[in-house]
Amino acid sequence: CMCFSVLLLPSSNTALEGRKVVLAASVPPLPSHRREALVGTLGAGMLGLGAGEQQASAFSNRIGKRGDGPPRVGPKPDLGLKSRGAGATPDLMGCKAAPNCFSSAAGVDEEHFLKPWRYSGYDSAAAAFAALKAAVDAYPPGQRDIDGGGFEVQTADASTGYLYVQFESLKKAFIDDVEFAQRPDPASPGQGQVFVRSASRVGYLDIGVNAKRLNKIM
């Protein structure tokens, strides 16, 4: 988990791992709002691949071999902290209609919106960012039968509070993009919010993968 000094999550924090159309057998029913499962307080697609979209090699921390056939990586979305409208504050990307995405970005609809995580009790924004990255680095590939293909941090920029990680499924090598955007409180940089986006590039359903991943990191 993201081991800030205290971690407070609702008791039903796995409920969002189900989806309205298909539920994994081990996943409890969906609550009235999907976002409820991932709201916590933290204390101290297309299958076709174009040129350059395929990974050159597997992630070093994967727990097994890829299946037969080419990796189904999919095109990389327009990720990053960017101004997504005239005069808008730089923000993460939102979600499309498919139920395989969560995002804390402005303007995201209720079905996909994830309330930003809160943190407190740090000496500085840099210390909080280091704790966030450490929580990601400690993530165990294969937990709850997901992300067996491992993961790799692509960008970790403490100066902007932006962290970008790619996760890979075990057999088909589907890539999920996960981003974190730290927003410290100007009056007290050792506390603030972390905006999050976790989304699958390929397919429609994710059978709870994105929620399982975020719940573990939290």
Side-chain angles (χ1 to χ4, degrees):
C1 71
M2 189 175 179
C3 296
F4 293 11
S5 61
V6 178
L7 176 60
L8 302 175
L9 287 174
S11 60
S12 61
N13 69 316
T14 59
L16 265 185
E17 296 162 10
R19 296 294 181 179
K20 289 186 175 179
V21 182
V22 176
L23 300 178
S26 62
V27 174
L30 194 74
S32 57
H33 297 295
R34 298 191 314 125
R35 64 187 181 186
E36 291 173 3
L38 294 174
V39 175
T41 299
L42 303 176
M46 293 173 64
L47 297 183
L49 295 175
E53 290 171 3
Q54 223 171 292
Q55 280 178 240
S57 61
F59 295 143
S60 62
N61 55 2
R62 72 167 20 251
I63 62 172
K65 295 181 178 179
R66 286 175 174 168
D68 296 333
R72 296 183 174 183
V73 176
K76 183 179 177 180
D78 182 26
L79 303 176
L81 274 174
K82 302 178 180 180
S83 178
R84 300 185 183 274
T89 300
D91 203 353
L92 299 177
M93 186 178 175
C95 295
K96 296 182 179 180
N100 60 9
C101 173
F102 294 105
S103 178
S104 306
V108 173
D109 64 77
E110 186 177 57
E111 284 296 294
H112 297 89
F113 181 69
L114 171 62
K115 189 175 180 180
W117 299 348
R118 293 204 60 85
Y119 64 90
S120 61
Y122 289 88
D123 294 334
S124 65
F129 185 83
L132 172 62
K133 185 175 183 300
V136 171
D137 288 340
Y139 181 84
Q143 66 94 16
R144 301 186 68 183
D145 297 321
I146 68 169
D147 299 327
F151 68 93
E152 185 174 273
V153 173
Q154 305 293 311
T155 305
D157 188 345
S159 65
T160 60
Y162 178 71
L163 180 63
Y164 167 44
V165 193
Q166 290 181 359
F167 290 81
E168 182 181 314
S169 67
L170 180 59
K171 294 298 184 181
K172 299 294 186 181
F174 295 118
I175 292 293
D176 288 359
D177 298 298
V178 182
E179 300 173 280
F180 304 91
Q182 179 189 23
R183 293 187 178 175
D185 183 341
S188 180
Q191 66 182 30
Q193 296 180 308
V194 176
F195 284 60
V196 184
R197 182 181 186 273
S198 183
S200 306
R201 291 186 187 180
V202 173
Y204 185 76
L205 298 171
D206 70 351
I207 318 300
V209 167
N210 286 284
K212 290 177 183 178
R213 179 186 303 123
L214 293 180
N215 280 325
K216 183 65 177 178
I217 294 172
M218 289 175 73

